[in-house]
Amino acid sequence: MNKHYDIVIIGSGVIGSSIAYHLSERKEKDILVVDKGFPLSGTSGSTQAWVWVHNKTPSWYGELSMYSAELYPFLGKKIGDVEYKRTGGIAPFFNESEREKALKLAEAQAEVGIKVEVLNREQVLEKEPALSPSIAGATYSDIDGNVNPFRLVELYIKAAQKNHVQFAFYNPVLDIKKEKGLFKIFTKKEEPVTAEKVIIAGGPWTKEIGEMLGVHIPVKQVRGQIIVTEPLAPFLTHTIGGMRQAENGEVLIGYSKEEVGYDRRTTLDVIQETASMAENYVPALARANVVRSFAGIRVIPEDGFPIVGTIPGVHNAFIATMHSGITLSPLIGTLMSELLMEGETSIDLGRLSLRRFMKASEKV
């Protein structure tokens, strides 16, 4: 590693690697990415990897997700095949009383250009015959889909390395100090490096990294458990709220959210609840064997929405932390590269600022 960099990014998951790649396209800056582990050993490798848009609310959040989904085909042409599939997304509901809520969702999303259809039972079963006939209906949009997260992160990193970005894996950041206008970053394995700018993209470790800069970042660690079936003959063609069928025939199923800190163990009670949910959605899954389960730790800001942009009170420090990093990574990488290189972004990041969590007295 060099002793000095223009930009140091902390975190090599899907958001950190996307930012590194998009910045590297300019070929103007010396960039280092530091990670406490190895790519895909954390959140980005423990996901169903949906590119999900249609029921993200409020509508401005859905709009951001739509813009990012629209970037995926172009991204694949630039960095290689990330196995992005625009399957269309179905979010079933089982009670007819939920139809009014679904219609309001469709109306609100239409205002920002997201086409959402509200389907009756027959229309849902026509699209996805394996779903339970006990459903009342569903919301549907053709913009939803999924991606291969392993290919995505691997290709982000390879493309960034091709543009001379350096990576330091298995190298936790121990401390960050500000000295003479520069950030001095202390890591476990290497000598300290200095940087003009630093970006926190550390996923579940965001809060701890923020504390090194004297900043409180209001995020929580939330565990999600996923079960995986044996490979089955293709029978699900859409990405469904709660599950999807992978190219190899496996069905990935999960929807749980547990605040248990950084505990990646799976638990029998949640696995059983998840299996029961799957059977309610798709009765044929009752005959499928579960071959494995895994858990991932999501970082979720306290209000559920991304925190992206500058860190108030710390000059040249930036943050990008969020749930739905797979969906948002092409857009966040683009916007963060704009912010760091040009000082402004093509989409206003005001709603996503860390400032929204600060007391009025702190914002002055």
Side-chain angles (χ1 to χ4, degrees):
M1 296 197 319
N2 300 335
K3 294 291 186 181
H4 178 76
Y5 293 86
D6 296 307
I7 301 168
V8 169
I9 301 168
I10 302 172
S12 69
V14 71
I15 293 296
S17 61
S18 174
I19 294 170
Y21 163 66
H22 284 91
L23 280 168
S24 77
E25 286 188 295
R26 313 288 186 104
K27 300 181 180 178
E28 298 175 18
K29 302 292 184 182
D30 290 324
I31 301 168
L32 171 68
V33 180
V34 182
D35 198 292
K36 71 187 301 294
F38 193 75
L40 296 160
S41 63
T43 304
S44 298
S46 305
T47 172
Q48 290 205 48
W50 299 343
V51 179
W52 191 262
V53 176
H54 89 257
N55 58 3
K56 295 285 183 67
T57 57
S59 56
W60 64 261
Y61 185 38
E63 185 177 25
L64 283 178
S65 301
M66 176 181 66
Y67 291 153
S68 196
E70 296 289 11
L71 290 174
Y72 260 106
F74 182 51
L75 177 69
K77 292 183 182 298
K78 292 196 295 180
I79 69 173
D81 182 12
V82 298
E83 297 179 14
Y84 170 62
K85 309 292 184 187
R86 184 167 289 187
T87 60
I90 295 175
F93 53 85
F94 286 80
N95 193 317
E96 191 61 37
S97 64
E98 297 182 54
R99 186 172 301 278
E100 185 62 31
K101 181 180 177 182
L103 290 168
K104 289 180 179 179
L105 170 71
E107 183 179 358
Q109 301 297 59
E111 293 179 1
V112 295
I114 303 171
K115 183 182 178 182
V116 177
E117 299 177 50
V118 180
L119 308 178
N120 60 32
R121 177 187 293 108
E122 290 71 26
Q123 290 170 320
V124 178
L125 295 177
E126 184 178 353
K127 286 184 178 294
E128 202 64 85
L131 283 170
S132 170
S134 67
I135 64 172
T139 53
Y140 168 79
S141 179
D142 61 9
I143 196 172
D144 300 313
N146 53 72
V147 69
N148 183 330
F150 300 96
R151 292 281 296 166
L152 178 62
V153 174
E154 177 189 22
L155 290 173
Y156 271 143
I157 290 173
K158 284 185 175 180
Q161 288 174 324
K162 187 176 181 180
N163 291 336
H164 309 297
V165 173
Q166 294 189 44
F167 288 80
F169 302 127
Y170 299 114
N171 195 22
V173 173
L174 304 178
D175 199 8
I176 307 172
K177 296 186 182 298
K178 197 80 181 284
E179 296 180 357
K180 298 179 181 179
L182 297 176
F183 295 97
K184 191 170 186 179
I185 301 163
F186 299 82
T187 62
K188 185 175 182 179
K189 289 173 56 177
E190 306 286 350
E191 292 296 313
V193 299
T194 57
E196 303 282 345
K197 299 177 181 179
V198 66
I199 304 171
I200 298 176
W205 309 110
T206 293
K207 182 177 288 188
E208 289 81 354
I209 299 166
E211 289 171 354
M212 297 177 191
L213 293 172
V215 176
H216 173 63
I217 302 173
V219 295
K220 52 192 176 182
Q221 296 174 335
V222 179
R223 180 172 68 191
Q225 300 187 41
I226 295 173
I227 60 176
V228 185
T229 73
E230 62 187 322
L232 302 170
F235 72 107
L236 294 176
T237 58
H238 298 81
T239 301
I240 300 169
M243 70 181 71
R244 73 176 180 96
Q245 187 169 26
E247 288 289 303
N248 67 354
E250 295 176 340
V251 180
L252 287 76
I253 308 160
Y255 70 110
S256 65
K257 294 181 180 180
E258 308 162 83
E259 292 186 40
V260 293
Y262 199 84
D263 182 348
R264 293 188 60 178
R265 291 175 294 182
T266 56
T267 61
L268 181 59
D269 59 338
V270 172
I271 290 172
Q272 289 175 329
E273 289 173 9
T274 302
S276 178
M277 179 274 289
E279 290 180 29
N280 288 337
Y281 273 47
V282 181
L285 285 173
R287 300 189 296 273
N289 292 313
V290 173
V291 296
R292 66 187 178 98
S293 63
F294 63 90
I297 306 299
R298 313 174 183 108
V299 57
I300 301 183
E302 286 184 356
D303 64 0
F305 302 117
I307 304 174
V308 181
T310 59
I311 296 180
V314 186
H315 183 59
N316 280 337
F318 303 82
I319 183 170
T321 187
M322 67 210 68
H323 179 39
S324 297
I326 295 288
T327 296
L328 292 170
S329 75
L331 181 65
I332 297 302
T334 299
L335 295 177
M336 287 294 287
S337 68
E338 293 173 353
L339 182 61
L340 271 81
M341 301 298 291
E342 298 156 17
E344 58 184 8
T345 55
S346 52
I347 296 174
D348 184 14
L349 293 177
R351 291 183 189 269
L352 306 183
S353 172
L354 182 59
R355 286 185 178 275
R356 72 185 187 268
F357 297 103
M358 298 169 62
K359 297 176 183 177
S361 59
E362 296 176 315
K363 294 182 181 180
V364 177

